[in-house]
Amino acid sequence: MNELPVVVVGAGPAGLSAAANLAERGERVIVLEAGDRAGAAVSQWNHVRLFSRWSELVDPAAERVLAPTGWVRPDGGAYPTGAEWAGLYLKPLADALGDRVRFGARVVGVARRGRDRVVDAGREDEPLTVHVRTADGEERISARAVVDASGTWGSPNPLGGDGLPAVGEHAAAARINYRVPDLATERSRYAGKRIAVAGSGHSALTALVALADLAEQEPGTKIVWLLRRGAVGNAFGGGEADQLPARGALGLRAGKAAEAGHIETVTGFRTASVNSAADGTLTLESFDGHQVEGVDEVVVLTGFRPDLSWLSEIRLNLDPVLQAPAKLAPLIDPNVHSCGTVYPHGEAELRHPEPGVYLVGMKSYGRAPTFLSLTGYEQVRSVVAAITGDHEAAGRVELVLPETGVCGGAGVFDAPAEQKNGGGCCSTPETVEVSIGLAAGAR
């Protein structure tokens, strides 16, 4: 089996980082990307600027792979957009990796050769088989290990307050957007309309700022901010105390937009249904019967979840709440703590009962909302070291993360107002909500 390749699923930041680490160690690697380009998911939020600087977005192994190509690292102090991150870093990295990266190759299943998940006999002696669907048909690739870096972008959480789509949500799909609006191309969709924005993370703040700017320019544009939490509290983040300055600045801008009267805030709203009114608008109803009427468009920014369907024949040890690796989950559980105190981790925390299978990057965090790209790079460095037998390097920590200066958790923030300061390992009246996903405005 040592002669078989390592298959990496996803040509995003974590997947290409894994491929760079494997290539640097002289290992055979195949990267399978369902999209038509490197960073296909990142390219879907081209217009959003990240909270992290370039100095925090380039993997060391990737930079070494890029060096012979003449690649020049962008200014480390600048904040790229999604388009810039994909075009100036991910695409050149995929080009440098050459034919190791295959596009238009969707992984639809992973298993042990000739064994379903129930069979013990001979399991460890068989390679993994990766089932792939392409424009030319289906194929099966034998692999010594599989690194799933497919992310969570393709699985946004629904509008429904119980984690399932609200009644009528599917029927109203043409009026619902699960991404931060790109007003450069979608201006007419939102100008002069009444828009409901659901969510309390930094994606929601990004949308609120953009739509508030639109309201300044387009009369009749109204914004309703739907919060599941019982009070706005510290939803606008840490401001100047945030050690990610761009993220803090976003919260300050969103707060000013709300103060300017462009945003109507509705708290304690957990959507139960979406109904069409006689005048053609939508009426959103909460589980407690509260209604928000006259809505033209809905922007749902309530986070993401991992797609585990194609791993059904693999033995995974996942936390039942977060759907993250069981050893990692207690470190990232937003119901308990999210204060920037999650230490850099690697193969030991990401290991599953199925040898050679790892979930890395955003997918490794399941439904937890605290992931940073630097964390993903440290994950894949450790995982690749373990796959190649370098257990000393796998167990070594090579990353020091600064405290983010922010605290909070989804469970605490969804609590009624009177419970806001009573939960979480680090909850105080001054705590603020963590950012989510790649330290980027799109998350």
Side-chain angles (χ1 to χ4, degrees):
M1 264 196 286
N2 286 338
E3 296 182 1
L4 295 176
V6 176
V7 169
V8 176
V9 184
L16 292 177
S17 172
N21 276 272
L22 287 160
E24 196 171 42
R25 287 177 173 267
E27 298 290 328
R28 289 184 61 201
V29 55
I30 299 173
V31 180
L32 301 173
E33 167 57 51
D36 61 357
R37 70 192 76 178
V42 174
S43 297
Q44 293 185 46
W45 45 273
N46 273 335
H47 57 296
V48 179
R49 192 168 299 280
L50 282 81
F51 294 134
S52 295
R53 300 177 177 89
W54 270 114
S55 60
E56 300 158 331
L57 295 169
V58 176
D59 174 65
E63 186 165 13
R64 292 190 291 270
V65 168
L66 282 163
T69 70
W71 181 77
V72 178
R73 175 198 275 261
D75 176 11
Y79 296 90
T81 62
E84 291 166 341
W85 197 21
L88 299 179
Y89 171 61
L90 299 177
K91 183 183 184 302
L93 179 54
D95 291 343
L97 290 166
D99 58 9
R100 299 180 182 93
V101 183
R102 293 175 52 185
F103 298 110
R106 179 175 296 278
V107 175
V108 295
V110 178
R112 285 285 167 189
R113 185 173 63 184
R115 308 288 192 276
D116 63 27
R117 66 183 297 161
V118 177
V119 177
D120 285 335
R123 191 174 192 87
E124 293 189 3
D125 297 326
E126 295 297 331
L128 293 158
T129 57
V130 182
H131 294 240
V132 186
R133 185 175 298 145
T134 70
D136 297 324
E138 297 183 9
E139 62 178 298
R140 195 167 54 224
I141 299 173
S142 295
R144 60 182 291 202
V146 173
V147 179
D148 179 3
S150 59
T152 58
W153 178 255
S155 304
N157 287 328
L159 176 62
D162 57 2
L164 298 173
V167 174
E169 183 170 346
H170 291 312
R175 313 272 286 281
I176 300 176
N177 182 8
Y178 298 88
R179 308 287 186 257
V180 176
D182 181 359
L183 297 182
T185 60
E186 299 178 293
R187 187 181 185 89
S188 61
R189 177 175 179 176
Y190 297 101
K193 305 293 180 60
R194 180 169 161 85
I195 309 145
V197 177
S200 61
H202 287 82
S203 291
L205 297 187
T206 300
L208 290 172
V209 168
L211 292 170
D213 287 345
L214 180 65
E216 287 274 6
Q217 304 162 23
E218 297 285 351
T221 304
K222 305 293 182 183
I223 305 151
V224 183
W225 186 17
L226 305 179
L227 287 167
R228 293 175 182 172
R229 62 174 69 184
V232 174
N234 42 34
F236 294 117
E240 294 178 359
D242 197 323
Q243 290 193 20
L244 291 175
R247 185 175 63 189
L250 171 66
L252 293 172
R253 289 184 65 194
K256 289 180 180 179
E259 292 173 1
H262 297 302
I263 301 170
E264 172 193 349
T265 303
V266 180
T267 59
F269 194 94
R270 298 169 181 267
T271 308
S273 64
V274 182
N275 306 300
S276 295
D279 62 359
T281 63
L282 300 175
T283 297
L284 309 184
E285 184 170 343
S286 182
F287 280 94
D288 63 4
H290 186 184
Q291 293 186 343
V292 173
E293 301 176 333
V295 174
D296 298 299
E297 296 286 341
V298 184
V299 178
V300 181
L301 299 167
T302 53
F304 298 84
R305 59 184 62 179
D307 177 7
L308 301 168
S309 61
W310 52 273
L311 295 169
S312 62
E313 297 307 316
I314 291 297
R315 296 177 176 182
L316 301 177
N317 184 17
L318 297 175
D319 177 76
V321 176
L322 296 185
Q323 296 178 298
K327 290 183 179 178
L328 176 60
L331 309 179
I332 61 176
D333 187 347
N335 288 292
V336 181
H337 59 82
S338 305
C339 302
T341 56
V342 178
Y343 61 81
H345 54 275
E347 191 270 344
E349 291 82 3
L350 300 173
R351 191 182 306 152
H352 290 284
E354 196 76 64
V357 175
Y358 297 95
L359 279 59
V360 301
M362 289 193 68
K363 191 166 185 176
S364 71
Y365 269 41
R367 299 196 188 193
T370 56
F371 189 77
L372 298 173
S373 55
L374 281 177
T375 300
Y377 297 156
E378 174 68 1
Q379 286 181 341
V380 299
R381 182 204 62 77
S382 175
V383 163
V384 166
I387 290 172
T388 59
D390 188 349
H391 299 293
E392 188 277 330
R396 188 171 63 237
V397 174
E398 295 187 359
L399 173 66
V400 178
L401 288 173
E403 295 289 334
T404 62
V406 294
C407 300
V412 175
F413 286 153
D414 277 356
E418 63 271 15
Q419 299 177 16
K420 295 298 292 177
N421 296 320
C425 73
C426 46
S427 294
T428 71
E430 291 76 33
T431 58
V432 296
E433 187 172 7
V434 298
S435 69
I436 56 178
L438 291 177
R443 298 290 189 271

